[in-house]
Amino acid sequence: MNITINNLETIGEAARQFADNIGSARVFAFYGKMGAGKTTFIKAVCEQLGVEDVITSPTFAIVNEYTSETSGDTIYHFDFYRIKKIEEVYDMGYEEYFYGGALCFIEWPELIEDLLPEDAVKVTIQENADGSRSVSF
Protein backbone atom coordinates (compact mmCIF):
# COMPACT_ATOMS: atom_id res chain seq x y z
CA MET A 1 0.00 0.00 0.00
CA ASN A 2 1.14 3.55 -0.72
CA ILE A 3 0.09 6.64 1.22
CA THR A 4 1.06 10.21 0.34
CA ILE A 5 1.50 12.88 3.00
CA ASN A 6 1.24 16.18 1.17
CA ASN A 7 2.02 18.33 4.23
CA LEU A 8 1.72 18.33 8.02
CA GLU A 9 -1.94 19.32 7.77
CA THR A 10 -2.71 16.00 6.05
CA ILE A 11 -0.58 13.73 8.23
CA GLY A 12 -3.54 12.80 10.44
CA GLU A 13 -5.49 11.42 7.48
CA ALA A 14 -2.41 9.53 6.24
CA ALA A 15 -1.92 8.08 9.74
CA ARG A 16 -5.60 7.06 9.82
CA GLN A 17 -5.16 5.20 6.51
CA PHE A 18 -2.11 3.43 7.92
CA ALA A 19 -3.87 2.55 11.20
CA ASP A 20 -6.88 1.22 9.29
CA ASN A 21 -4.59 -1.17 7.40
CA ILE A 22 -2.51 -2.55 10.26
CA GLY A 23 -4.53 -5.75 10.30
CA SER A 24 -3.10 -8.49 12.49
CA ALA A 25 0.53 -7.39 12.05
CA ARG A 26 2.26 -6.42 15.29
CA VAL A 27 5.80 -5.33 14.35
CA PHE A 28 6.46 -2.48 11.92
CA ALA A 29 9.98 -1.57 10.83
CA PHE A 30 10.21 2.05 9.60
CA TYR A 31 12.96 2.74 7.07
CA GLY A 32 13.90 6.18 5.83
CA LYS A 33 16.68 8.71 5.81
CA MET A 34 17.32 11.07 8.72
CA GLY A 35 14.63 13.76 8.55
CA ALA A 36 12.25 11.73 6.36
CA GLY A 37 9.53 11.97 9.01
CA LYS A 38 9.56 8.57 10.70
CA THR A 39 9.06 9.92 14.23
CA THR A 40 6.44 12.44 13.13
CA PHE A 41 4.47 9.78 11.27
CA ILE A 42 4.67 7.27 14.14
CA LYS A 43 3.44 9.99 16.50
CA ALA A 44 0.46 10.64 14.22
CA VAL A 45 -0.30 6.91 13.97
CA CYS A 46 -0.18 6.56 17.77
CA GLU A 47 -2.61 9.48 18.08
CA GLN A 48 -4.96 7.81 15.59
CA LEU A 49 -4.75 4.62 17.65
CA GLY A 50 -5.94 6.49 20.75
CA VAL A 51 -2.72 7.37 22.55
CA GLU A 52 -3.30 10.51 24.61
CA ASP A 53 0.13 10.66 26.28
CA VAL A 54 2.79 13.04 25.05
CA ILE A 55 4.52 11.12 22.26
CA THR A 56 8.24 11.78 21.92
CA SER A 57 11.18 10.22 20.14
CA PRO A 58 12.77 7.42 22.15
CA THR A 59 16.22 8.30 20.79
CA PHE A 60 17.90 8.26 24.21
CA ALA A 61 15.54 5.87 26.02
CA ILE A 62 15.55 3.41 23.06
CA VAL A 63 11.90 2.50 23.75
CA ASN A 64 8.81 4.41 24.84
CA GLU A 65 5.65 2.65 25.98
CA TYR A 66 2.19 4.04 25.30
CA THR A 67 -1.33 2.84 25.97
CA SER A 68 -4.25 3.40 23.65
CA GLU A 69 -7.04 5.05 25.62
CA THR A 70 -9.62 3.66 23.19
CA SER A 71 -8.54 0.01 22.98
CA GLY A 72 -6.26 -0.43 26.01
CA ASP A 73 -3.57 -1.84 23.70
CA THR A 74 0.09 -1.35 24.51
CA ILE A 75 2.25 0.29 21.84
CA TYR A 76 6.05 0.29 21.91
CA HIS A 77 8.01 2.89 19.94
CA PHE A 78 11.68 2.02 19.41
CA ASP A 79 14.54 4.12 18.09
CA PHE A 80 17.73 2.09 17.58
CA TYR A 81 19.75 4.95 16.09
CA ARG A 82 22.10 5.13 19.08
CA ILE A 83 22.65 1.38 19.48
CA LYS A 84 26.38 0.72 19.47
CA LYS A 85 26.38 -3.05 19.98
CA ILE A 86 23.72 -5.66 19.27
CA GLU A 87 24.23 -6.92 22.83
CA GLU A 88 22.39 -3.80 24.03
CA VAL A 89 19.28 -5.07 22.27
CA TYR A 90 19.67 -8.54 23.77
CA ASP A 91 20.09 -6.96 27.22
CA MET A 92 16.86 -4.99 26.91
CA GLY A 93 14.93 -8.21 26.28
CA TYR A 94 13.81 -7.44 22.74
CA GLU A 95 12.02 -10.81 22.42
CA GLU A 96 9.45 -9.82 25.05
CA TYR A 97 8.63 -6.72 23.05
CA PHE A 98 8.73 -8.13 19.52
CA TYR A 99 6.96 -11.40 20.32
CA GLY A 100 4.69 -10.28 23.16
CA GLY A 101 1.69 -9.34 21.01
CA ALA A 102 1.87 -5.56 21.48
CA LEU A 103 2.21 -3.15 18.57
CA CYS A 104 5.86 -2.29 17.93
CA PHE A 105 6.95 0.64 15.78
CA ILE A 106 10.70 0.52 15.11
CA GLU A 107 12.90 3.33 13.80
CA TRP A 108 16.34 2.47 12.39
CA PRO A 109 15.55 -1.26 12.09
CA GLU A 110 18.49 -1.75 9.73
CA LEU A 111 20.73 -1.66 12.81
CA ILE A 112 19.03 -4.76 14.26
CA GLU A 113 17.91 -6.42 11.02
CA ASP A 114 18.81 -9.96 12.13
CA LEU A 115 16.62 -9.68 15.23
CA LEU A 116 13.41 -8.60 13.51
CA PRO A 117 10.60 -11.16 13.39
CA GLU A 118 10.13 -12.75 9.96
CA ASP A 119 6.64 -11.26 9.73
CA ALA A 120 7.73 -7.69 10.55
CA VAL A 121 6.13 -5.25 8.13
CA LYS A 122 8.64 -3.10 6.27
CA VAL A 123 7.47 0.52 6.07
CA THR A 124 9.43 2.94 3.92
CA ILE A 125 9.08 6.72 4.27
CA GLN A 126 10.61 8.77 1.52
CA GLU A 127 10.77 12.52 1.03
CA ASN A 128 9.72 13.58 -2.47
CA ALA A 129 11.12 16.51 -4.48
CA ASP A 130 8.00 18.60 -3.75
CA GLY A 131 8.40 18.13 0.03
CA SER A 132 5.60 15.56 0.33
CA ARG A 133 6.30 12.14 1.84
CA SER A 134 5.49 8.71 0.46
CA VAL A 135 4.77 5.90 2.91
CA SER A 136 4.79 2.39 1.48
CA PHE A 137 4.25 -0.94 3.19
Side-chain angles (χ1 to χ4, degrees):
M1 174 169 207
N2 292 306
I3 300 170
T4 299
I5 305 168
N6 291 314
N7 51 48
L8 280 176
E9 289 76 37
T10 64
I11 197 166
E13 177 53 35
R16 167 56 53 209
Q17 288 177 20
F18 183 88
D20 288 346
N21 287 283
I22 283 177
S24 62
R26 304 320 295 154
V27 179
F28 295 84
F30 286 80
Y31 294 83
K33 293 181 180 177
M34 181 76 73
K38 297 179 296 293
T39 301
T40 303
F41 186 67
I42 291 171
K43 177 182 179 204
V45 171
C46 288
E47 290 170 350
Q48 291 297 320
L49 292 171
V51 173
E52 295 180 6
D53 296 331
V54 174
I55 302 165
T56 59
S57 174
T59 300
F60 294 100
I62 300 176
V63 62
N64 287 342
E65 178 180 341
Y66 304 111
T67 302
S68 168
E69 297 300 323
T70 53
S71 68
D73 291 338
T74 299
I75 301 168
Y76 295 110
H77 179 190
F78 297 87
D79 185 334
F80 289 115
Y81 183 74
R82 297 199 182 282
I83 289 293
K84 291 180 178 48
K85 297 183 294 186
I86 201 72
E87 288 77 18
E88 294 175 65
V89 184
Y90 285 113
D91 291 345
M92 71 180 286
Y94 79 94
E95 296 104 334
E96 291 179 37
Y97 294 106
F98 293 178
Y99 298 99
L103 277 174
C104 295
F105 298 136
I106 303 168
E107 295 186 52
W108 300 103
E110 51 270 64
L111 300 175
I112 60 150
E113 197 80 38
D114 292 341
L115 303 181
L116 293 174
E118 285 184 22
D119 61 351
V121 176
K122 181 178 181 178
V123 181
T124 303
I125 299 180
Q126 178 178 321
E127 183 176 6
N128 303 315
D130 63 0
S132 66
R133 304 296 198 269
S134 295
V135 179
S136 59
F137 61 102

